[in-house]
Amino acid sequence: MFPVFLALGFQHHPTSALPESPRLPNRKIIHATNSFVSFANKAQERSQSAPDALKYACHNWVVHLSRAPHPWNDALHCMFQAFSNDHIISWLEMEWCLKGLRSCLVALSEGQKFVKSVV
């Protein structure tokens, strides 16, 4: 599940000892939180209903990329650029929903190391 706390705004916690009236949540924050939860639920549903081949590719792209011939040819370099420019957010959404944040961070770190070694 996506971290819902990211949708919440900064809350001021006074350090004064004087009593203060309780602050009601801002309607914009409530709306943003509800929208975010709705988005996260839909993302989770999309990820779970994706074809198995897409789930596999999403989780294992770094492994397959590391097995590409060295040095990269122009076609492979262009495909990787297109993926990183146009599809990385979709990948992040799916991988996060399927395997969690740690998996995303590991894949991005490994991918970055590999790309630096071949480019």
Side-chain angles (χ1 to χ4, degrees), residues 25-59:
N26 183 315
R27 285 184 183 190
K28 289 181 181 178
I29 293 173
I30 293 171
H31 176 71
T33 302
N34 289 339
S35 295
F36 187 78
V37 169
S38 176
F39 167 79
N41 288 336
K42 288 176 185 174
Q44 185 74 31
E45 290 170 13
R46 280 191 306 271
S47 297
Q48 295 301 325
S49 65
D52 288 340
L54 181 58
K55 291 176 185 177
Y56 176 86
C58 185
H59 188 62

Side-chain angles (χ1 to χ4, degrees), residues 61 80-95 108:
W61 67 271
F80 180 76
Q81 284 296 103
F83 169 76
S84 63
N85 292 338
D86 302 333
H87 304 290
I88 197 76
I89 299 299
S90 297
W91 167 82
L92 182 61
E93 175 188 307
M94 180 169 286
E95 184 68 8
L108 289 172

Side-chain angles (χ1 to χ4, degrees), residues 2 7 11 21 30 37 45 52 66 80 102 106 112 115-116:
F2 287 109
Q11 295 182 2
S21 64
I30 293 171
V37 169
E45 290 170 13
D52 288 340
S66 70
F80 180 76
R102 180 176 298 277
V106 168
Q112 182 181 29
V115 170
K116 282 183 178 180

